Amino acid sequence: MREAILNDKLLKPNDEIIFSIIGNTELLWKQTFSYLFDNNKDIFIKWKYSDCGKEWFCKALKKKKSLFWIQIQKNNSFSIGFPFGDKLEPIILQSKLPDSIKNEFINAKRFNTTRYIAIDVKDSEDFENVKN
């Protein structure tokens, strides 16, 4: 099981805390948010503490719909999880995403008609997968 990093319920994450953990992926963090905001209008970010997971995570929303979640990782990276409905399976399978991510989607546990793709962002190749 993954160790919870941002686990102090009373300490809401901010840039200083996040950058002290993700280290050399700070630029990728900034690029990721710039890209996501530039290509998705009317979204907002909300930090939420999960009592179940005992850690903070970042949730991006458009109106009330969740677009993605971000978790800070211990290994100088962060993970972005994208929910996709089953109707999008053909599009995902025909996308430029690596086969490993496509297979993750195919084998992911379903929550009603939704499955998730999680991308650990550690380098520019991972950032390109986020963009795809």
Side-chain angles (χ1 to χ4, degrees):
M1 177 178 254
R2 194 177 63 75
E3 178 184 349
I5 302 300
L6 298 173
N7 55 8
D8 185 342
K9 188 174 187 174
L10 302 176
L11 187 59
K12 187 175 182 179
N14 60 37
D15 285 349
E16 182 180 348
I17 293 168
I18 293 164
F19 298 154
S20 72
I21 298 169
I22 65 172
N24 60 358
T25 59
E26 177 181 339
L27 179 59
L28 290 169
W29 175 273
K30 291 176 179 177
Q31 289 173 330
T32 299
F33 275 94
S34 291
Y35 178 81
L36 293 170
F37 278 110
D38 290 347
N39 292 282
N40 296 283
K41 304 301 178 206
D42 302 323
I43 66 170
F44 66 97
I45 298 297
K46 178 180 179 181
W47 281 96
K48 182 173 172 34
Y49 186 81
S50 167
D51 286 321
C52 180
K54 304 292 184 210
E55 109 181 276
W56 286 93
F57 64 92
C58 179
K59 185 176 185 178
L61 300 136
K62 184 169 189 170
K63 295 184 182 180
K64 292 184 178 182
K65 182 177 178 163
S66 296
L67 300 177
F68 59 88
W69 292 267
I70 298 181
Q71 290 181 307
I72 304 302
Q73 305 289 321
K74 187 176 184 178
N75 59 348
N76 290 340
S77 70
F78 52 97
S79 178
I80 304 179
F82 297 95
F84 293 103
D86 286 340
K87 293 178 184 178
L88 294 174
E89 183 171 339
I91 295 169
I92 291 168
L93 296 179
Q94 293 173 10
S95 73
K96 297 177 186 176
L97 289 169
D99 288 341
S100 60
I101 294 176
K102 292 176 185 178
N103 288 332
E104 177 185 340
F105 176 77
I106 290 168
N107 296 314
K109 180 179 177 182
R110 281 186 170 83
F111 298 92
N112 294 319
T113 60
T114 303
R115 289 177 279 175
Y116 294 85
I117 292 176
I119 299 174
D120 290 339
V121 182
K122 301 178 291 292
D123 55 37
S124 58
E125 183 178 327
D126 298 327
F127 175 62
E128 288 301 315
N129 289 331
V130 169
K131 290 170 40 177
N132 287 326

